[in-house]
Amino acid sequence: MKEAIEQIYKELQDLKTATLKEAEEARVRFLGKKGEVTALMEQFRTVAPELKREYGQKLNDLKKFTLAKIEELKDAAEAASGPASASGEDLSMPGDSMPLGSRHPVSIVRQQIVDIFRKFGYDVAEGPEIEDDYHVFEALNFPPNHPAREMQDTFFVSTGHLNPLLLRTHTSSVQVRTMETQPLPIRVVCPGRVFRNEAISARAHCIFHQVEGLYIDKNVTFADLKQAILLFAREMFGPDTQIRMRPSYFPFTEPSAEVDVSCNICKGKGCNICKGTGWLEIMGCGMVDPNVLKASGIDPEVYSGFAFGMGVERIAMLKWQVNDLRHYFENDMRFLSEFSTATEV
Ligand code: DAH
């Protein structure tokens, strides 16, 4: 029995446990029902009477030592797993993290467009979303029976009188308001929301965003327009970007053009984003029609100007290769969080 007791002392001295669970296993091994110390206590019955006193003492000491050792191991394991507060809460537990929000991709791109033109010396102008027919159509030289005035394109707020209220279908209306109120020369960009009565699909939505641009001064030419757009395109899509202009028609500009940029995905070779053409359409533009200048009291014999208008979602789709416009309106966190770090111009 003497050897058995010494053996257990030795084992206890060398015993190390890493976790509370292991410390508990050690307790069972030595002090459990079938534990090694328990077994010795049971053998005590068979000890010769003259030795009972000596071994009784030895076994009691061993039990005390074992208990103290297990206690010590449990304390150490608890300390390693973090401090517990007086009320039993684990103060070392990490807190609930609060994910930081981020700006909407449409806001990011609108701001990038505006910032680029600000660098070129443009101011920012805004106007009402509920507009009248005069500012959206008439002052912009839309003939009275132009199809864009018809119900299928425009959301009317009030009809039945000469100048009905409607949701603006483009931010060109802000051009008119700027020409009416600002002194010349004028150099503005007009970001804003626009509304069209369109069926929602991957390529169209009834609400979207535009940035309109307007520059009016003496001797403004088409070459100035082309240079402004080229500089913008290179800031937006990269320094190697090329532009091309195709003749087009808008009631408020003459001549008018549509602008394409070289596809920044295939570098002009042709891919499915540019449908094999190597070019992506980004905006409409032109020289402000003399009728539009006249309507706002500007003498077209003295002043000339250019205007352009682009869809923010379209620029964002091209920049980030998003192929479905609806993503921008559904506020799905999985989509929005993709843009949490996309703040660079
Ligand atoms: N307002 C046009 C649209 O919504 C875009 C546009 C085209 C604006 C040519 C312009 C321009 O200023 O010159 O489709």
Side-chain angles (χ1 to χ4, degrees):
M1 175 170 273
K2 204 170 165 207
E3 288 88 69
I5 292 174
E6 266 159 26
Q7 178 62 28
I8 291 179
Y9 269 119
K10 228 178 128 229
E11 276 175 34
L12 283 171
Q13 257 147 16
D14 296 342
L15 187 64
K16 285 199 176 64
T17 56
T19 63
L20 217 51
K21 190 163 164 265
E22 281 175 25
E24 174 59 15
E25 280 163 10
R27 189 193 65 77
V28 172
R29 180 179 149 203
F30 290 100
L31 298 169
K33 264 195 192 148
K34 294 182 183 158
E36 292 175 30
V37 176
T38 317
L40 283 182
M41 304 290 274
E42 271 161 22
Q43 277 180 36
F44 181 68
R45 277 185 278 123
T46 63
V47 170
E50 67 275 18
L51 293 176
K52 274 217 152 83
R53 204 185 145 86
E54 186 192 342
Y55 277 97
Q57 186 65 44
K58 275 191 161 65
L59 285 171
N60 269 340
D61 288 348
L62 176 66
K63 194 175 177 187
K64 265 193 218 156
F65 183 84
T66 313
L67 276 170
K69 176 76 188 183
I70 299 288
E71 200 59 26
E72 182 190 310
L73 291 172
K74 285 192 171 174
D75 284 352
E78 250 167 29
S81 74
S85 74
S87 59
E89 285 147 355
D90 182 355
L91 300 180
S92 68
M93 231 164 84
D96 291 339
S97 69
M98 292 231 290
L100 264 190
S102 56
R103 287 165 68 212
H104 193 282
V106 169
S107 303
I108 295 172
V109 170
R110 183 195 52 203
Q111 197 56 45
Q112 289 178 350
I113 298 169
V114 167
D115 285 346
I116 291 170
F117 282 103
R118 270 225 185 93
K119 268 203 295 204
F120 300 163
Y122 285 67
D123 288 330
V124 177
E126 286 182 352
E129 291 178 349
I130 300 176
E131 258 293 6
D132 54 21
D133 180 281
Y134 176 80
H135 289 91
V136 174
F137 296 128
E138 196 177 326
L140 287 165
N141 198 36
F142 278 79
N145 52 0
H146 194 281
R149 289 172 177 239
E150 281 175 17
M151 294 294 282
Q152 77 264 27
D153 291 321
T154 308
F155 288 115
F156 284 92
V157 175
S158 70
T159 50
H161 46 89
L162 269 179
N163 190 20
L165 285 180
L166 41 87
L167 300 184
R168 65 181 178 196
T169 57
H170 55 183
T171 43
S172 305
S173 53
V174 188
Q175 265 193 38
V176 179
R177 291 196 174 269
T178 308
M179 287 189 281
E180 284 171 348
T181 55
Q182 302 291 309
L184 293 160
I186 289 171
R187 214 192 263 141
V188 288
V189 277
C190 321
R193 244 183 346 174
V194 300
F195 309 84
R196 285 186 199 178
N197 191 3
E198 301 230 25
I200 295 170
S201 71
R203 315 194 99 244
H205 208 282
C206 55
I207 304 178
F208 55 102
H209 299 78
Q210 288 186 331
V211 176
E212 179 83 12
L214 177 70
Y215 176 33
I216 299 177
D217 203 346
K218 290 176 181 153
N219 304 317
V220 177
T221 67
F222 201 91
D224 299 321
L225 168 63
K226 197 171 166 196
Q227 186 65 9
I229 290 173
L230 179 65
L231 289 176
F232 163 74
R234 291 193 168 163
E235 290 273 335
M236 193 74 204
F237 295 105
D240 301 329
T241 308
Q242 303 289 325
I243 62 165
R244 74 174 183 186
M245 290 175 138
R246 288 175 287 109
S248 186
Y249 170 78
F250 300 102
F252 35 90
T253 44
E254 181 58 38
S256 304
E258 238 136 351
V259 181
D260 299 339
V261 289
S262 51
C263 179
N264 59 343
I265 296 144
C266 63
K267 305 278 171 247
K269 282 192 218 91
C271 65
N272 61 347
I273 301 281
C274 62
K275 300 205 183 70
T277 63
W279 295 97
L280 300 161
E281 187 185 320
I282 58 159
M283 67 168 91
C285 67
M287 301 306 292
V288 181
D289 194 290
N291 286 342
V292 173
L293 295 174
K294 258 189 264 168
S296 295
I298 296 172
D299 184 352
E301 300 297 327
V302 184
Y303 287 95
S304 57
F306 62 69
F308 54 85
M310 66 190 104
V312 178
E313 284 82 359
R314 168 132 188 104
I315 304 276
M317 283 169 92
L318 298 179
K319 208 173 153 63
W320 287 313
Q321 290 140 50
V322 175
N323 54 11
D324 193 325
L325 187 60
R326 288 168 290 195
H327 286 308
Y328 289 116
F329 300 95
E330 282 165 1
N331 288 332
D332 184 330
M333 289 303 288
R334 290 168 301 179
F335 176 72
L336 295 182
S337 59
E338 296 272 307
F339 301 90
S340 54
T341 55
T343 47
E344 87 295 352
V345 171

